[in-house]
Amino acid sequence: MMQEGLDDGPDFLSEEDRGPRAVNVDLQTDATLQVDISDALSERDKVKFTVHTKSTLPNFKQNEFSVVRQHEEFIWLHDSFVENEEYAGYIIPPAPPRPDFDASREKLQKLGEGEGSMTKEEFTKMKQELEAEYLAIFKKTVAMHEVFLCRVAAHPVLRKDMNFHVFLEYNQDLSVRGKNKREKMEDFFKNVVKSADGVLVAGVKDVDDFFEHEKTFLLEYHNRVKDASSKSDRMIRSHKSAADDINRIASTLYTLGTQDSTDVCKFFLKVSELFEKTRKIEARVAADEDLKLADLLKYYLRESQAAKDLLYRRGRALVDYENANKALDKARAKNKDVLQAETSQQVCCQKFEKISESAKQELIDFKTRRVAAFRKNLVELAELELKHAKGNLQLLQSCVGVLKGDT
Amino acid sequence: FVTSETSSAPMMNLFMEPASEASSGPMVDLLMDPASDDLKEPPKPDINPLADIINDAPLSEVKTPVAAMTQEPPSDLFDDEPSELFAEPRQSNTAKQQQTSIFDEPDEDLFSEPLGEALKKPQNDVFKEALAPVAKDPTDIFTEEAITTLPSAVSTVSVNSKTNGVHSDEEEPDIFAEATVELSLDSPRNDRKKKEAAKPSASASAPSVSASASKPQPKTLEELIIAFHSTGDGMNAYMAYKVSTQTTLPMFRSKTFTVRRRFSDFLGLYEKLSDKHTLNGYIVPPPPEKSIMGMTKVKVGKEDNSSAEFVERRRAALERYLQRVVFHPSLLQDPDVREFLERDDMPRAHNTQALSGAGFLKMINRATDSLSKMTIKMNESDVWFEEKLQEVEAEDQQLRKLHIMVDSLVGHRKELSVNTGGFAKSVAMLGSSEDNTALSRALSQLAEVEDKMEQLHQEQAASDSFCFAELLADYIRLLGSVRASFDQRMKTWQRWQDAQNMLQKKRETEAKLLWANKPDKLQQAKDDITEWEAKVTQYERDFDRVSATVRKEVLRFEKEKARDFKKQIIKYLESLLQSQQQLIKYWEAFLPEAKAIA
């Protein structure tokens, strides 16, 4: 549909929503490995991201290079982390959501169909708005993919992952295809089993207070973030609708104002102009709220899920360990396959302890990151709200002043 | 001429459904600040008291004692200032109340004429429904009398010239200074203001007397305020509106008086006025629409926001309506208006009921009328009328569109308010489960801010509705009235043409008889010719007269409209402004909390 080549690389990210990667995640970028998405292209039904890497690590052939990746390849990378047993003890950075332009496309289509029923100005205006909306969604999806890569790059262990390096460097198509139906079904079942298992595992009381506390905390937190995220979305949608209405009102006032040149008409024109401007501000407010609040909540919804997954894995390992213990005891009692039982018990014990240790650190880091991200975003949100409200106020004051002066 | 004329032809209540399309959305409480504003100007003779009618002159309209029926500039017809519609006390009689009516006709105060004219006097009081007896007290201005019966807005129909109209705002009007017998529609304006001033406060069930009438200082014009009050129970319940008038117009029996009226009474008044005056090309202001849904909810005793809102909106609309009527210098002179304002007990206007026989008859008449409208092809000699009509129609179209959009905005803002509230609660929950104390506190602060925003959005939506949407609805209805007056002119033209044709025929008959030499029938033919010659002359004069009236009315209307719109919209923008100021306060308080997160 819309071909958008944002070739002026950093430009489209150059506004305040530029550093989304830092926004939610507050990472310290390490000079040894810096990753970002320098460009993106939106084609009919996919988005092509240009992943740009700067690194001093010896693993890479060059110090700076770029490759083009699509969403499926990001998912592939994420899944490879999840499936890797070695990483069981880490919070896997949540995968970016699929780029979703459906809603925007639909609106654009409807606009095209309804072209005949509105005036030329109205049509142009609405088209511009939809294009702006499209652009905003586009920027957001780029930001989210970037955050994912940056999180991986900042993680001391994950950054060394082989798949990650391939992802960054291999400049051919990774031939990663999206999951076909059967695989999706398999996934679905896996998830069902996992949640059932999760419930079982969660039921096991943890000896360690820290983890016990974290479990309860994360469960509650995750649910509440989910609720807050959906409510914030709803609120912002209403805000956008109201701004749209003001836009239409402005157009109609304009029409009224151009009917002749009496005083009243001039008055209407001025008011129409005012509404045009205030509505732009309102739309910005909604967009900023979306970015600073809604996106923040969405991100932490995903992260808290990842943290929960970590706890699940640990719980699973604990259960396995306890089962291995029991098996060992049984074997010892029967004096049969004792060695085997011992080895397996050792393995389980090691696995469990490894996970526990790294999990503890990960969860502490998660908390720090979260607090920092919230702080940054809430401060920015408040500042933006103030900025826009003041702008709005000024507009209104000057307009009222002019109008009163006229009458 | 307006008042005494009893038009034979029942005027189709063209105005009855004026704004049927225009969603007569709940009239926003334009009348919100009635009290203060209404009593704007005391009727001043030369001031256009009605001018304010168009503005939202709350009842602050001048409540000058009806010393002189100041002329209220008819401009107030459209001044739907909730409270002030009738703020101007009208001095009936001589002084033309300066009706700061919408039409802002300067000094077309009905009341400028000395109150000598008894006719004028009562006009002022139209708005003041004092509890005074219905006697026609010329100078009764409707002071706010809170009749507990109807919490209708007590509109002090002060025919203050000041308030209404665009004219003179604070002139102490000797509204009746120049007593001219013009029945300008200034006065109604004042009344309306008053009505608006008194907001209905009674809930459906409780008879509360909300008389908080505004205290305009009516100078000469009347002030009209309507407060409401409900009576009865169950499906028999009805809302009684207290109409208070304060006036200095001598044509009313007392200076302040209040009466109780039902909604159907208002409609009845409109019917009467319309029947009499539309014929002559006057623009008779239309009342708000009937709403079976709305009233039923109220009757059933549903105590919730929507029914409270409905009641308030209706009260405000009624107030504005009366104020416009009173602001119109000509209408003010009509004894029906006076009676409406003054008389204690009025016969029920049954034929205004939706499902009555009269109602059906009306509908049928209206249909035939519109049919005949289509077939009249007028030979327009004066292009001014043609152009004006086109303008009116274009404007009507735009206003309707605008109204729909404003309604949509109101809906979305209400939705935003609800969603913000939901979000606030959600954030509070999140904050309570957050284990970092500073962040937890910040989140609960955020929840509070969002809570306040919910409130803010709610208020803003109300302002959108009452300031803006109601204004548009009023004007959509009024434009219907304007169109009707044009139609009326066309009808008189048609009648004249028909008479000319008839005369022609009679002459031909005479010629035929002469030729056929039938002297006995000749005399009859000659008589016929004389009769029809007279009719042709009469009808031509009528047409000219009506044309002149229509023209004058339209000009007045335009002035009122200009004033009204400006005033209301500025008020609306100011409310937006206040919202933003509040917003800034809230976020400024929050910012340090956010920064304190560690």
Side-chain angles (χ1 to χ4, degrees):
Chain A
M1 190 171 74
M2 270 164 86
Q3 290 276 341
E4 271 195 64
L6 302 168
D7 342 301
D8 28 36
D11 254 29
F12 76 89
L13 293 173
S14 62
E15 321 167 355
E16 53 202 322
D17 40 320
R18 195 264 177 257
R21 74 165 109 169
V23 164
N24 293 334
V25 190
D26 193 30
L27 300 162
Q28 293 111 329
T29 44
D30 189 336
T32 58
L33 180 61
Q34 272 176 328
V35 185
D36 65 85
I37 296 187
S38 59
D39 196 356
L41 195 65
S42 166
E43 288 180 7
R44 175 146 187 78
D45 52 4
K46 51 185 170 227
V47 181
K48 295 208 169 116
F49 303 95
T50 304
V51 178
H52 167 250
T53 316
K54 254 213 282 226
S55 173
T56 56
L57 290 176
N59 322 49
F60 301 109
K61 297 200 206 87
Q62 300 162 294
N63 278 356
E64 192 170 344
F65 47 90
S66 291
V67 294
V68 176
R69 292 283 172 251
Q70 291 183 32
H71 174 73
E72 288 77 19
E73 293 162 315
F74 286 77
I75 299 300
W76 165 82
L77 182 62
H78 170 262
D79 287 350
S80 76
F81 289 152
V82 170
E83 285 155 7
N84 190 335
E85 287 276 334
E86 289 294 302
Y87 302 143
Y90 306 120
I91 296 182
I92 309 293
R98 196 182 73 88
D100 182 13
F101 296 102
D102 290 345
S104 199
R105 265 195 216 121
E106 237 182 79
K107 278 201 216 165
L108 213 52
Q109 206 170 5
K110 265 200 228 146
L111 180 67
E113 284 164 10
E115 183 173 356
S117 69
M118 52 181 101
T119 70
K120 186 134 193 304
E121 294 98 20
E122 274 173 24
F123 179 74
T124 331
K125 235 203 272 189
M126 288 207 68
K127 184 151 171 282
Q128 275 172 357
E129 270 164 54
L130 281 179
E131 287 176 353
E133 194 180 301
Y134 190 91
L135 188 62
I137 298 178
F138 186 74
K139 285 188 195 169
K140 258 210 260 188
T141 190
V142 167
M144 293 200 262
H145 285 75
E146 200 180 59
V147 172
F148 170 69
L149 292 179
C150 294
R151 281 269 277 123
V152 175
H155 194 283
V157 174
L158 293 176
R159 79 206 310 236
K160 300 190 195 130
D161 182 84
M162 210 55 249
N163 283 338
F164 183 49
H165 290 185
V166 167
F167 177 94
L168 288 176
E169 205 180 12
Y170 187 63
N171 55 12
Q172 309 282 345
D173 189 2
L174 286 175
S175 302
V176 163
R177 58 171 173 75
K179 299 206 168 138
N180 64 22
K181 245 198 227 163
R182 188 169 64 88
E183 283 165 346
K184 284 194 184 148
M185 280 300 280
E186 282 175 3
D187 273 355
F188 172 71
F189 281 123
K190 258 193 245 167
N191 275 336
V192 170
V193 169
K194 182 170 157 218
S195 14
D197 196 28
V199 171
L200 274 164
V201 164
V204 174
K205 175 128 175 55
D206 206 318
V207 182
D208 189 332
D209 274 346
F210 174 81
F211 285 104
E212 190 57 32
H213 165 82
E214 283 299 304
K215 208 171 16 165
T216 356
F217 164 74
L218 269 178
L219 206 60
E220 192 186 60
Y221 189 79
H222 176 80
N223 288 339
R224 292 191 179 174
V225 164
K226 198 191 283 193
D227 188 49
S229 173
S230 81
K231 299 249 164 72
S232 79
D233 280 347
R234 246 188 271 168
M235 176 179 79
I236 291 169
R237 258 204 302 274
S238 302
H239 210 150
K240 287 200 178 120
S241 305
D244 283 344
D245 283 335
I246 297 180
N247 194 20
R248 269 180 256 135
I249 289 174
S251 309
T252 315
L253 279 176
Y254 181 79
T255 315
L256 268 171
T258 50
Q259 287 194 332
D260 67 52
S261 55
T262 59
D263 263 0
V264 171
C265 290
K266 288 200 205 112
F267 181 80
F268 281 147
L269 285 175
K270 289 208 189 96
V271 177
S272 160
E273 199 183 311
L274 170 73
F275 279 157
E276 263 295 329
K277 297 199 186 124
T278 57
R279 117 149 158 111
K280 284 207 180 86
I281 294 184
E282 286 296 326
R284 274 309 274 158
V285 171
D288 286 339
E289 283 178 348
D290 197 15
L291 213 59
K292 304 292 172 192
L293 209 46
D295 277 356
L296 175 73
L297 291 170
K298 278 198 200 87
Y299 186 81
Y300 277 95
L301 179 61
R302 297 202 301 277
E303 272 256 4
S304 57
Q305 181 60 48
K308 272 169 73 182
D309 288 344
L310 170 63
L311 280 181
Y312 163 73
R313 290 195 291 272
R314 180 179 169 280
R316 177 84 248 152
L318 177 61
V319 167
D320 289 345
Y321 179 38
E322 286 179 352
N323 288 345
N325 271 341
K326 286 195 204 123
L328 182 59
D329 286 345
K330 236 201 284 185
R332 283 205 179 125
K334 286 196 193 145
N335 207 359
K336 187 178 165 203
D337 294 323
V338 172
L339 190 60
Q340 196 182 26
E342 272 180 357
T343 343
S344 96
Q345 191 255 25
Q346 285 271 17
V347 164
C348 283
C349 176
Q350 273 172 353
K351 182 172 171 207
F352 171 69
E353 283 175 355
K354 178 168 173 245
I355 291 182
S356 280
E357 193 184 315
S358 60
K360 194 169 200 158
Q361 189 54 47
E362 287 280 302
L363 288 169
I364 291 173
D365 286 347
F366 170 64
K367 202 173 301 259
T368 321
R369 270 202 313 273
R370 187 176 78 239
V371 172
F374 268 79
R375 180 186 192 283
K376 182 174 197 289
N377 278 21
L378 288 180
V379 168
E380 286 178 358
L381 174 72
E383 288 174 345
L384 284 169
E385 292 267 4
L386 277 173
K387 173 173 151 206
H388 293 315
K390 287 186 178 151
N392 229 348
L393 180 66
Q394 199 185 32
L395 267 180
L396 284 165
Q397 275 170 338
S398 74
C399 183
V400 169
V402 167
L403 291 177
K404 273 185 169 165
D406 277 357
T407 41
Chain B
F1 123 88
V2 170
T3 50
S4 41
E5 178 163 344
T6 37
S7 49
S8 42
M11 283 313 289
M12 196 74 5
N13 251 334
L14 297 165
F15 305 115
M16 275 324 279
E17 44 173 15
S20 42
E21 295 117 22
S23 40
S24 50
M27 290 308 252
V28 179
D29 240 347
L30 287 173
L31 305 169
M32 284 314 268
D33 48 19
S36 44
D37 312 339
D38 279 340
L39 303 173
K40 283 204 215 150
E41 316 171 274
K44 288 180 205 205
D46 289 325
I47 306 176
N48 211 344
L50 287 175
D52 278 342
I53 293 194
I54 308 228
N55 304 327
D56 59 54
L59 296 168
S60 53
E61 287 278 0
V62 185
K63 275 186 192 265
T64 51
V66 188
M69 281 288 249
T70 50
Q71 316 179 353
E72 302 201 338
S75 45
D76 268 346
L77 267 185
F78 297 91
D79 201 358
D80 255 351
E81 311 272 4
S83 44
E84 291 219 61
L85 274 181
F86 303 105
E88 308 171 306
R90 299 267 194 119
Q91 295 290 351
S92 52
N93 297 358
T94 55
K96 272 204 186 283
Q97 294 270 341
Q98 295 282 349
Q99 303 244 3
T100 46
S101 46
I102 315 181
F103 296 114
D104 194 13
E105 275 192 48
D107 310 343
E108 258 236 292
D109 296 332
L110 277 177
F111 309 106
S112 52
E113 300 177 293
L115 282 176
E117 294 177 30
L119 201 57
K120 290 238 173 105
K121 274 201 206 152
Q123 293 281 27
N124 289 345
D125 294 335
V126 169
F127 304 136
K128 290 199 193 171
E129 297 189 334
L131 286 167
V134 186
K136 326 238 167 198
D137 273 343
T139 54
D140 280 354
I141 299 191
F142 300 115
T143 41
E144 52 268 299
E145 283 218 73
I147 294 187
T148 49
T149 47
L150 287 170
S152 47
V154 176
S155 40
T156 37
V157 181
S158 33
V159 183
N160 290 334
S161 43
K162 289 195 282 216
T163 41
N164 287 341
V166 217
H167 287 303
S168 52
D169 285 342
E170 304 296 325
E171 300 177 84
E172 285 310 284
D174 38 306
I175 303 184
F176 303 106
E178 1 167 348
T180 47
V181 192
E182 274 179 45
L183 285 177
S184 35
L185 289 155
D186 294 330
S187 7
R189 202 190 267 267
N190 296 333
D191 284 355
R192 254 207 274 246
K193 296 219 186 119
K194 277 214 194 141
K195 277 197 193 165
E196 308 204 308
K199 306 283 224 62
S201 40
S203 57
S205 42
S208 38
V209 183
S210 39
S212 46
S214 46
K215 293 97 245 60
Q217 293 316 314
K219 300 236 182 103
T220 37
L221 293 174
E222 292 173 14
E223 276 192 14
L224 189 73
I225 303 177
I226 298 186
F228 63 66
H229 165 88
S230 70
T231 323
D233 39 16
M235 286 313 285
N236 292 325
Y238 64 89
M239 194 62 82
Y241 296 90
K242 245 196 303 188
V243 180
S244 302
T245 317
Q246 211 178 301
T247 183
T248 53
L249 292 175
M251 75 186 185
F252 292 97
R253 270 175 287 129
S254 52
K255 290 209 168 42
T256 65
F257 45 89
T258 311
V259 293
R260 288 175 192 216
R261 294 286 175 258
R262 293 179 60 149
F263 183 68
S264 51
D265 294 336
F266 288 84
L267 297 183
L269 172 68
Y270 171 71
E271 300 271 333
K272 290 188 203 145
L273 291 179
S274 175
D275 286 353
K276 284 190 259 177
H277 302 301
T278 318
L279 287 186
N280 297 305
Y282 284 94
I283 299 175
V284 181
E289 280 109 29
K290 292 195 256 260
S291 164
I292 298 179
M293 252 308 280
M295 270 322 283
T296 313
K297 266 205 262 173
V298 170
K299 284 182 188 180
V300 170
K302 195 151 170 268
E303 297 260 353
D304 70 356
N305 277 345
S306 68
S307 51
E309 212 181 285
F310 170 80
V311 170
E312 172 52 34
R313 231 184 276 156
R314 172 166 277 199
R315 179 205 70 81
L318 287 175
E319 200 179 66
R320 289 194 302 273
Y321 160 65
L322 269 194
Q323 284 175 340
R324 287 201 180 106
V325 168
V326 173
F327 204 66
H328 192 298
S330 310
L331 291 183
L332 186 55
Q333 305 297 322
D334 188 320
D336 277 329
V337 171
R338 203 182 327 143
E339 182 186 68
F340 183 87
L341 293 175
E342 274 188 327
R343 186 161 160 194
D344 266 340
D345 58 53
M346 277 189 63
R348 285 280 313 276
H350 285 283
N351 60 356
T352 59
Q353 280 171 339
L355 302 176
S356 67
F360 279 125
L361 191 62
K362 253 184 266 167
M363 272 195 311
I364 295 171
N365 281 343
R366 209 172 299 149
T368 26
D369 217 34
S370 40
L371 201 58
S372 63
K373 243 191 272 172
M374 293 193 288
T375 53
I376 295 182
K377 259 304 259 164
M378 186 161 164
N379 219 351
E380 189 56 79
S381 53
D382 189 348
V383 82
W384 184 90
F385 287 95
E386 200 169 312
E387 285 174 354
K388 262 306 157 199
L389 191 58
Q390 276 172 352
E391 268 177 39
V392 165
E393 288 179 345
E395 187 166 358
D396 181 66
Q397 208 186 17
Q398 292 303 318
L399 284 184
R400 279 174 205 268
K401 234 166 96 179
L402 192 58
H403 189 258
I404 292 173
M405 290 172 194
V406 174
D407 265 354
S408 166
L409 175 63
V410 172
H412 283 136
R413 258 210 243 271
K414 283 194 178 148
E415 195 183 277
L416 175 60
S417 168
V418 168
N419 288 343
T420 307
F423 178 64
K425 288 193 187 69
S426 187
V427 170
M429 292 289 283
L430 185 65
S432 68
S433 67
E434 172 63 61
D435 52 5
N436 175 304
T437 26
L439 179 57
S440 170
R441 192 176 50 237
L443 284 174
S444 61
Q445 289 291 78
L446 179 67
E448 268 182 46
V449 170
E450 293 292 341
D451 220 17
K452 292 191 193 132
M453 300 279 282
E454 172 191 9
Q455 188 60 32
L456 210 61
H457 289 309
Q458 182 73 14
E459 287 166 3
Q460 188 57 60
S463 168
D464 292 344
S465 179
F466 282 101
C467 264
F468 205 359
E470 289 288 283
L471 170 72
L472 296 173
D474 271 1
Y475 271 88
I476 292 170
R477 282 200 294 273
L478 278 164
L479 283 181
S481 292
V482 174
R483 286 238 278 295
S485 77
F486 275 86
D487 290 340
Q488 197 45 44
R489 178 175 167 269
M490 270 212 309
K491 282 215 203 104
T492 49
W493 181 83
Q494 188 63 44
R495 197 168 61 154
W496 175 34
Q497 293 301 105
D498 290 345
Q500 280 182 323
N501 291 342
M502 187 55 89
L503 178 63
Q504 182 65 19
K505 273 203 212 118
K506 295 295 179 189
R507 289 210 174 111
E508 285 170 7
T509 314
E510 189 202 24
K512 266 196 232 144
L513 287 176
L514 273 172
W515 192 75
N517 206 3
K518 288 199 184 140
D520 44 326
K521 296 203 179 136
L522 206 56
Q523 186 51 44
Q524 177 63 37
K526 284 204 198 290
D527 286 344
D528 282 349
I529 290 178
T530 325
E531 179 193 340
W532 282 97
E533 275 175 350
K535 283 200 181 149
V536 167
T537 323
Q538 174 63 41
Y539 293 162
E540 181 176 3
R541 252 190 255 134
D542 280 349
F543 175 70
D544 288 336
R545 178 175 48 82
V546 170
S547 291
T549 307
V550 169
R551 193 183 212 130
K552 194 174 69 157
E553 286 283 282
V554 168
L555 290 174
R556 199 180 76 101
F557 171 74
E558 289 186 335
K559 282 201 208 120
E560 286 277 327
K561 181 180 66 156
R563 203 172 34 170
D564 221 2
F565 266 89
K566 283 191 192 167
K567 190 155 159 194
Q568 269 310 105
I569 292 186
I570 288 180
K571 188 160 154 219
Y572 174 62
L573 293 181
E574 284 177 336
S575 84
L576 288 177
L577 213 150
Q578 275 168 354
S579 262
Q580 293 299 313
Q581 281 169 333
Q582 289 283 75
L583 239 164
I584 290 175
K585 254 203 318 207
Y586 298 149
W587 286 106
E588 275 180 346
F590 175 71
L591 190 55
E593 284 289 343
K595 288 193 168 152
I597 301 174

